[in-house]
Amino acid sequence: MADVRSPPPPPSRQRRSVGPAMDALGSLPLDVLDNILSRLHIHDVVRTSALSRAWRRRWESLPTVGLLNSPGIGASDVDALLLRRTAPVRSFRLATRDRSWSPTAFHDWLLHLHRRGGLRDLELTLRYEFMYQKLNSCLFSFRELTSLKLYCCGLPNLPAEFAGFPNLKTLHFSMVQVQSPGGRGIATLIAASPVLQEASLIDGKLIGDGPDEDWVIRGSNLRKLTIALGHKYGGRIEDIARLEECCLFGPNYAKYLMRMAHVTKLSFYCNSILSTEVDVLERLPFLFENLRSLVLGVNFCILSHILATFCLLRSAPVLEELDVWVFSDGTQEMKTDDEFFDAQWVNHMFAKLHVVRMKKVSCLCNEMLLIEFILSKARALRVLSLTLASNSQFSIEEAITDITEYPRASPYAQVIFAGREPECANDEWNGFVDLSAELSDLEDIQTSGRRSLDTVNPRRRQRLNGESVAQLQQLEEQLLELEKEEEEHHMRRMQALNEMDQESENVFRHQEYIISTIEKTMPLLMLLMLMLVLQQRMLPMVLRMVLRILQKAISDWSFMILVIGVL
């Protein structure tokens, strides 16, 4: 007999060993993970402890405590958060939104951070009523700080033994009250930060300071300086040879220009300039040899402001980009003429100017004369962009008609009309000064409408895309063609719908005809079925008779097929 082998036993079901799932988020570098989690609400950051055992206490050791994007938290939540920390806080960012918070809480938090040590980045955005509440003096003991940003708070008195911030690179004070003597305190703070690169003083209050006070801002490594205080203050600037960008907003600030020969970008608000400051600009002992970008805030209804504008333009021989913010109430108090503008001309003026952006234009006489002056003198001009003021009585079409007739020194110059400014841009500070504080969520704040220069004209705002009258006419022709195409498409669609309605009506009538025919022939069919049951021998003859009757009564071949199929 053949050797009969038993079938092999079925393979045993072995459980596969499954390793731990890959933690893609946890495998990121700590600084990247910290950057991601700092953008979330603090409640979501704490909830990451439920992800896995490895994440149970991870949030307690993150370098950043970011509470800027965490509305709805209370002072007790911040207390618990800081007490649960197992590692030093490198960055602490807080914005108050709860009215129940008290200045005492901020003192406690600063003291706690000071005891733990290691703080490098501090940003506090308090409520507006806290502007007059001084922070704890331990603020000046954070010697490892690299960035200090304070909004709506009071700066404590500078201690006599203040040793400075040896690592501070960014200093930003917005709506901060500086104790007397305020100007000297700011000067001391900047001078005691040897590696400071950016300093901003916006809408603050220097107690005990006046226009005759003599204090000096020195910063050998300072790259960017913003002074927008809105009041007459003293002081001067020295030893800022590396300064690249400067923004000056306020009266009696033209004196600060005396040490800014090397800046590459300058923002100067002429609307609050004093008449005596025009002489200061006329006596500038230098030309801005590196100035490529100039931003001006001007009221063209006042002669001193116009003269200050031309003083700066004549002092910038290599200027490439010019932004002009027009601030006026819509009334023309002082009119100039072509001879006045031609008298301001010098040979090196507008030599390299290729981009001009004018915002909040009301199309008053002096403003239109400046536009004509730039178009007729700037030989390298490429683009001149205009944005009308929200309260301007002129329309874009009227401005296009007038500007089209102006002579142009550059054959490549294009005029772009960017529509109107929104109503929220009426504030004089709006857009001219870069307010980087996130104050939109704070209530009862007086500066909630201000925005930065890059957000005054949002990209999603509807714009008029006509670069000239010819392009505007071309756009109108294209619109007419699109309307015609849309009408033709609509007619074709209506015709197709009518044809479909006619076909559906024919089908419905055909169905009614078939149903009525079946109803009429139903008795005959019943009779034939009865005859077939009684006499099966007469089936062939009866079938032929039925077919003849049906052929005479019904001419539709489809019904014959239906009847034959039923039989």
Side-chain angles (χ1 to χ4, degrees):
M1 294 180 62
D3 186 11
V4 180
R5 297 181 179 178
S6 60
S12 60
R13 296 182 179 179
Q14 298 180 353
R15 181 175 296 179
R16 297 181 179 180
S17 60
V18 180
M22 179 65 68
D23 187 0
L25 188 61
S27 61
L28 293 174
L30 182 60
D31 56 342
V32 177
L33 181 63
D34 179 58
N35 189 10
I36 295 174
L37 296 181
S38 63
R39 302 173 187 271
L40 302 178
H41 195 289
I42 189 61
H43 292 168
D44 296 329
V45 176
V46 175
R47 289 192 186 100
T48 59
S49 59
L51 293 177
S52 64
R53 181 176 299 177
W55 279 82
R56 185 167 299 173
R57 303 180 65 88
R58 184 184 293 269
W59 67 271
E60 300 176 5
S61 59
L62 292 176
T64 299
V65 177
L67 303 177
L68 296 178
N69 302 318
S70 302
I73 63 172
S76 58
D77 297 329
V78 183
D79 292 339
L81 180 67
L82 292 177
L83 292 175
R84 288 286 301 273
R85 295 281 307 178
T86 58
V89 179
R90 301 299 183 187
S91 177
F92 184 76
R93 306 186 185 113
L94 173 68
T96 63
R97 296 176 176 87
D98 193 343
R99 293 180 179 272
S100 62
W101 290 21
S102 63
T104 306
F106 305 116
H107 297 323
D108 296 339
W109 297 333
L110 287 177
L111 287 172
H112 177 81
L113 295 172
H114 176 254
R115 296 190 187 100
R116 299 298 299 269
L119 187 66
R120 300 175 182 175
D121 181 5
L122 177 61
E123 180 175 348
L124 294 179
T125 303
L126 311 187
R127 298 188 58 82
Y128 184 74
E129 56 265 24
F130 292 154
M131 178 179 178
Y132 305 101
Q133 298 290 337
K134 293 188 295 184
L135 297 176
N136 194 285
S137 59
C138 69
L139 174 69
F140 298 112
S141 301
F142 293 99
R143 293 185 51 81
E144 297 184 16
L145 279 180
T146 60
S147 176
L148 176 61
K149 298 180 181 180
L150 301 178
Y151 307 91
C152 297
C153 64
L155 197 68
N157 295 91
L158 202 66
E161 65 278 5
F162 177 58
F165 295 119
N167 302 312
L168 189 65
K169 295 183 178 180
T170 302
L171 177 66
H172 185 98
F173 289 166
S174 180
M175 289 178 286
V176 172
Q177 180 174 266
V178 185
Q179 307 303 315
S180 179
R184 296 181 185 275
I186 290 293
T188 303
L189 187 60
I190 294 177
S193 306
V195 297
L196 186 65
Q197 298 181 0
E198 297 184 14
S200 301
L201 307 174
I202 298 176
D203 200 12
K205 185 176 181 180
L206 307 182
I207 299 178
D209 197 1
D212 298 329
E213 294 291 330
D214 186 18
W215 45 272
V216 182
I217 294 179
R218 294 184 175 91
S220 57
N221 288 301
L222 203 60
R223 302 293 199 277
K224 184 177 180 180
L225 176 64
T226 300
I227 301 178
L229 299 176
H231 298 281
K232 297 180 182 179
Y233 290 118
R236 49 194 171 90
I237 296 178
E238 292 181 0
D239 190 19
I240 52 171
R242 296 187 179 183
L243 191 67
E244 299 175 355
E245 297 183 23
C246 181
C247 177
L248 298 177
F249 186 106
N252 78 314
Y253 292 167
K255 57 186 177 182
Y256 294 153
L257 296 174
M258 301 300 292
R259 300 290 181 176
M260 297 184 181
H262 303 288
V263 295
T264 59
K265 182 177 181 180
L266 175 63
S267 300
F268 191 80
Y269 187 74
C270 301
N271 196 22
S272 61
I273 191 173
L274 304 178
S275 58
T276 56
E277 294 186 88
V278 178
D279 298 334
V280 176
L281 295 176
E282 288 284 5
R283 294 195 304 269
L284 283 177
F286 58 86
L287 295 177
F288 295 99
E289 298 292 346
N290 300 321
L291 187 60
R292 300 292 192 273
S293 175
L294 178 62
V295 183
L296 295 175
V298 186
N299 187 346
F300 284 98
C301 298
I302 302 177
L303 180 60
S304 60
H305 300 170
I306 301 176
L307 292 175
T309 299
F310 279 105
C311 289
L312 290 173
L313 292 176
R314 287 194 299 268
S315 302
V318 295
L319 186 65
E320 297 178 356
E321 296 186 8
L322 174 63
D323 290 81
V324 180
W325 294 76
V326 182
F327 301 105
S328 65
D329 55 1
T331 60
Q332 185 72 62
E333 298 179 0
M334 190 278 303
K335 293 184 179 180
T336 57
D337 52 18
D338 296 336
E339 296 181 358
F340 173 81
F341 278 86
D342 292 337
Q344 312 301 322
W345 171 255
V346 292
N347 291 330
H348 62 263
M349 202 170 177
F350 302 152
K352 296 185 178 182
L353 186 65
H354 61 267
V355 175
V356 177
R357 291 177 286 265
M358 296 187 64
K359 301 177 177 65
K360 302 183 181 181
V361 179
S362 299
C363 295
L364 299 180
C365 177
N366 294 344
E367 300 170 6
M368 302 302 287
L369 285 174
L370 177 65
I371 296 173
E372 182 180 3
F373 181 75
I374 294 175
L375 288 174
S376 62
K377 301 296 184 181
R379 296 182 295 273
L381 187 65
R382 295 283 182 174
V383 175
L384 190 148
S385 174
L386 297 176
T387 304
L388 293 184
S390 59
N391 57 353
S392 175
Q393 298 179 358
F394 288 78
S395 63
I396 297 178
E397 291 76 11
E398 293 174 340
I400 291 175
T401 303
D402 293 341
I403 295 176
T404 304
E405 301 176 356
Y406 293 162
R408 304 187 185 185
S410 172
Y412 306 104
Q414 295 182 348
V415 180
I416 299 177
F417 297 90
R420 290 181 179 269
E421 290 285 344
E423 292 291 340
C424 60
N426 291 333
D427 188 2
E428 290 185 354
W429 287 51
N430 193 347
F432 185 82
V433 181
D434 183 11
L435 299 178
S436 58
E438 300 294 337
L439 299 175
S440 59
D441 295 330
L442 297 178
E443 301 175 359
D444 302 330
I445 198 73
Q446 296 182 358
T447 57
S448 59
R450 304 172 185 173
R451 295 182 297 168
S452 65
L453 179 63
D454 297 331
T455 60
V456 169
N457 291 324
R459 297 180 179 179
R460 296 183 179 179
R461 182 160 55 87
Q462 184 178 5
R463 295 177 178 268
L464 178 64
N465 295 321
E467 295 181 354
S468 62
V469 175
Q471 289 187 353
L472 184 61
Q473 293 176 354
Q474 183 179 2
L475 288 174
E476 292 178 353
E477 293 176 357
Q478 293 178 357
L479 287 175
L480 292 176
E481 293 179 359
L482 290 175
E483 290 178 357
K484 291 180 181 179
E485 293 180 0
E486 186 177 359
E487 291 179 358
E488 293 177 358
H489 178 72
H490 180 69
M491 294 297 295
R492 290 194 297 267
R493 186 177 180 84
M494 292 298 297
Q495 185 177 0
L497 290 175
N498 293 333
E499 293 178 357
M500 292 176 62
D501 292 340
Q502 188 66 30
E503 292 179 358
S504 61
E505 185 177 355
N506 294 336
V507 171
F508 181 72
R509 290 178 179 177
H510 186 68
Q511 291 177 352
E512 287 184 347
Y513 173 73
I514 294 176
I515 293 172
S516 61
T517 306
I518 293 175
E519 290 177 351
K520 293 179 181 180
T521 57
M522 187 60 66
L524 180 60
L525 293 175
M526 296 297 294
L527 180 60
L528 291 176
M529 293 297 293
L530 182 60
M531 292 175 61
L532 288 174
V533 174
L534 296 176
Q535 291 182 345
Q536 295 182 357
R537 296 179 180 179
M538 299 178 65
L539 180 59
M541 181 178 65
V542 173
L543 288 176
R544 287 193 295 271
M545 184 182 300
V546 171
L547 290 176
R548 290 193 188 99
I549 294 172
L550 292 177
Q551 287 177 356
K552 293 179 181 179
I554 304 171
S555 59
D556 193 348
W557 60 270
S558 61
F559 179 77
M560 293 178 61
I561 296 175
L562 178 62
V563 174
I564 294 173
V566 171
L567 295 176

